[in-house]
Amino acid sequence: MIRKILLSKWTKVAVFTACLVPFGVLVWRATQGELTANPIEFVEHWTGDWTMRFLIITLCITPVRKLLKIPELIRFRRMLGLFAFFYVCLHFSSWVGLDRFFNLHDMWADVEKRKFITVGFAGFLLLIPLALTSTKGWIRRLGGKRWQLLHRAIYLAAIAGVIHYAWLVKSDEHKPLQYAAMVGVLLLWRIVVWARKRWQQQPAARSISAKEPTTAETA
Amino acid sequence: MSEKKGSELTYSDITPKGAFASRRNFLFGMAATGAAVGGWKYLPRWFSGPGKGSVPHPLSGVAKWPYDATDKVTPEGDVTTYNNFYEFGTDKSDPSQNAKNFQTSPWEVSVEGEVKKPLKLSMDDIMKIAPLEERIYRHRCVEAWSIVVPWIGYSFSHLIQKAEPTPKAKYVAFQSYYDTRQMPLGPQAGIAFPYVEGLRMDEAMNPLTLLCVGMYGETLPNQDGAPVRMVIPWKYGFKSIKSLVKIRFVKDMPPTTWNIEASNEYGFYANVNPNVDHPRWSQAKERRLGEFFRRPTLMFNGYADQVASMYAGMDLRKNF
Ligand code: HEM
């Protein structure tokens, strides 16, 4: 039953629509003049928060589908990742177009001098190749292994997002710490799975490496 | 848009069936706990009514000050919903919500230290020390936003004269009200309370330094520092301490809250200065609430004529 729902075309449409809700709410609030006394800052924070949330949701897919044995969830991973990219693009544009109003000099000074902007910018740059290579064609062209390796950059982007947030708050670290905890758990799970696999495969791995060097694969 | 089944084979499932059901319960439990923990803070907000705290009332007999800033006054709704008052939460929207139950009556301000006449002042006493004036000041936050506010109060120097400081008094130390029963979010703010601030004696005596009891024709709303606060228009907003309970005249430079928190970011003087950047952002421009484009920040927030001489010969890069 669950399987059938998850595989339905309509579920994908529903999830897609749900992912647009934060954007819709933002636009709605804008038309109602409910963007607080500092609308530009509000848009910047709203889109930054939703970038972080979508990164985290995307990182949840693999653990949840494995722990709960719902492999069908993989259908949504690309879409969620691309929504993270959608929101970071809005976030970046709100900084470029609203906050700094296309003032290249100001923006460059920020990227160069302000640590939290530098880290955020790095996170954004990391996500660009992931969005570009998210298609089936690119998976084929790169080969599954290499594609997977490349897409591990999302771990770094999530970490960059957390550091970015932690560095920009003045004193109350609660919210960045909440994100840090979530990203931490999700990455820790991967480390545990990886370590367990290594542990179990060790004898086998040794016999393989005796046959052929694996450096090309792990590089 | 359907994926090929084959692509799913690479993700092999390793969980045995037995562990699966209990793990699912566990995860649902985790999710429910997470939702509960995340939601508890906002629940009271949904159900909160008008609040049980003190509310502003109109002030009469307020004289007009001749030197008002000519900038457009910021809408009152912005000044009452966009606040940094960390005792009531660290989001800009928190204080207007969480200060609703703040009781500011009775109130007492203690004037003490190096003075001939220590004082315990009620709000009635404070209202009578000097005639109230409405003064339109620019107010520049260290976070690079600014507002223009019609404050009500009088020069702090009137209170100083009443207390008669001794020649030993070189600085004034201020302290805010702090009580976790009234300010339950205080312990989460990440800075130590009670909030403390300070001025050099000549700064405190400067006629621009305002002891403030109201704004927009009324007494101060709770979230803006009721019932009495300081306003020092040529310094970053964090110098303008709110909900004042103690004024102490001292010999040495007193500790100040943000300086304790991060001394490389927030100095004792904290004069508005477009040429000295905060380590994490530029101070050259500011966003005036209600305006789209950032505007250039003025030296001493545009009050250089009245205050620059106090800092003659000082290296403002070091004494930021
Ligand atoms: C992986 C990429 C990024 C993530 C996950 C991210 C996330 C966030 C988050 C969570 C916030 C705080 C929101 C809040 O306070 O509620 C934020 C704020 C902000 N971000 Fe990003 N961000 C990213 C990239 C960038 C980039 C590329 C820029 C610009 C170059 C940028 C500029 C800003 C600015 C200016 C703020 C507001 C700072 C302030 O108000 O003091 N971010 N971001």
Side-chain angles (χ1 to χ4, degrees), chain A residues 139-161:
Chain A
I139 300 181
R140 206 169 352 94
R141 247 168 283 170
L142 288 171
K145 266 250 158 64
R146 246 183 300 166
W147 183 87
Q148 251 189 339
L149 193 66
L150 172 66
H151 279 246
R152 293 216 173 106
I154 192 179
Y155 306 159
L156 295 178
I159 293 170

Side-chain angles (χ1 to χ4, degrees), chain A residues 38 40-41 65-68 77 99 101 103 106 113-114 116 167 169-172 174-175, chain B residues 11 15 20 23 27 82 86 90-91 143 188-189 266 277-278 280-282 285 287 292-294:
Chain A
N38 194 344
I40 295 176
E41 181 189 74
R65 54 190 279 280
K66 291 206 173 159
L67 290 174
L68 301 187
R77 190 173 66 179
D99 194 343
F101 197 67
N103 185 328
D106 281 12
K113 226 173 132 178
R114 323 262 162 239
F116 86 89
W167 277 350
V169 298
K170 274 167 63 193
S171 69
D172 181 0
H174 282 83
K175 279 191 284 180
Chain B
Y11 308 97
T15 313
F20 161 50
R23 198 174 276 167
L27 277 171
Y82 191 78
Y86 276 23
T90 54
D91 265 6
E143 297 164 355
Q188 294 182 32
Y266 312 97
D277 282 350
H278 185 278
R280 287 186 282 157
W281 55 83
S282 165
K285 294 181 185 173
R287 167 150 297 113
F292 180 75
F293 294 105
R294 284 177 188 253

